[in-house]
């Protein structure tokens, strides 16, 4: 089933926290993310592709449990089609920082982004962190508008991109 825009209908992918058994599919998704949006993530496709599988597996195992770092995936059964991570903010105990948000191109516009953010938000609240923060590259208007529709507000804070000096990111916040 698809929406009138040709995107898969929301609810057709299970949104859940990663499990250790997801490592191979998470590696494939990570490589897809980096190929599709090379400026959006903090490593290159070449670096990720060169990383041994056991390192992906260790990362997935680490983020599959506990209150400090989590990864949520969209799993329609088969290849994974979306991801959103959340981690603690060292200087703000009530804040979860959202990272590595991705929706596969054929699923964009389906509502999957909101479902992934809702997964991180529920985990954040359960961990006692009532606020979410994310960063968007200045000029990525599509992502900026999508996060606005999900209730995020531009804080006015601008920070340098952590790996590409020519880029700036803007911070957005909302309640979890």
């Amino acid at each position: 089933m698809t929406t009138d825009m040709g995107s898969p209908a929301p609810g057709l992918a299970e949104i859940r926290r990663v499990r250790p058994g997801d490592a191979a599919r998470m590696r494939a998704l990570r490589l897809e993310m980096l190929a599709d949006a090379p400026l959006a993530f903090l490593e290159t496709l070449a670096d990720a592709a060169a990383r041994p599988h056991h390192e992906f597996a260790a990362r997935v195992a680490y983020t599959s449990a506990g209150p400090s770092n989590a990864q949520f995936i969209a799993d329609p059964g088969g290849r994974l089609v979306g991801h959103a991570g959340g981690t603690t903010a060292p200087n703000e105990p009530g804040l979860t920082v959202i990272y590595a948000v991705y929706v596969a191109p054929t699923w964009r516009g389906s509502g999957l982004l909101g479902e992934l953010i809702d997964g991180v938000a529920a985990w954040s609240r359960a961990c006692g962190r009532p606020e979410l923060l994310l960063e968007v590259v200045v000029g990525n208007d599509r992502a900026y508008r999508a996060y606005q529709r999900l209730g995020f507000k531009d804080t006015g804070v601008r920070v340098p991109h952590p790996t590409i000096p020519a880029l700036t990111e803007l911070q957005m916040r909302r309640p979890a």
Side-chain angles (χ1 to χ4, degrees):
M1 176 180 203
T2 61
T3 64
D4 57 355
M5 295 172 49
S7 301
L12 293 180
E14 177 187 11
I15 307 301
R16 62 173 174 79
R17 195 166 182 177
V18 293
R19 299 177 191 134
D22 295 323
R25 293 189 307 150
M26 269 301 302
R27 185 175 196 274
L29 181 63
R30 181 67 178 173
L31 297 177
E32 177 184 330
M33 293 163 64
L34 292 164
D36 184 54
L39 299 180
F41 306 105
L42 302 183
E43 72 179 328
T44 68
L45 176 58
D47 289 343
R51 191 166 347 116
H53 178 74
H54 70 86
E55 288 182 18
F56 276 94
R59 175 74 176 170
V60 168
Y62 171 72
T63 60
S64 69
S68 64
N69 201 318
Q71 294 185 63
F72 290 83
I73 54 173
D75 184 358
R79 86 177 179 87
L80 302 177
V81 296
H83 176 274
T87 190
T88 57
N91 300 324
E92 285 190 63
L95 181 69
T96 290
V97 177
I98 295 176
Y99 67 90
V101 178
Y102 179 77
V103 174
T106 57
W107 285 75
R108 292 177 188 157
S110 71
L112 194 60
L113 175 65
E115 293 178 37
L116 285 162
I117 297 297
D118 287 348
V120 177
W123 169 77
S124 183
R125 288 189 308 273
C127 294
R129 294 186 301 271
E131 190 172 16
L132 303 174
L133 173 133
L134 54 78
E135 294 176 344
V136 178
V137 171
V138 171
N140 186 347
D141 296 335
R142 180 183 172 130
Y144 182 80
R145 287 189 307 272
Y147 292 129
Q148 279 184 316
R149 286 190 296 274
L150 296 176
F152 285 89
K153 305 282 186 228
D154 188 338
T155 65
V157 174
R158 302 296 184 264
V159 296
H161 188 281
T163 59
I164 305 170
L167 298 178
T168 301
E169 294 185 315
L170 60 89
Q171 293 185 346
M172 301 179 84
R173 289 183 181 236
R174 77 160 225 208

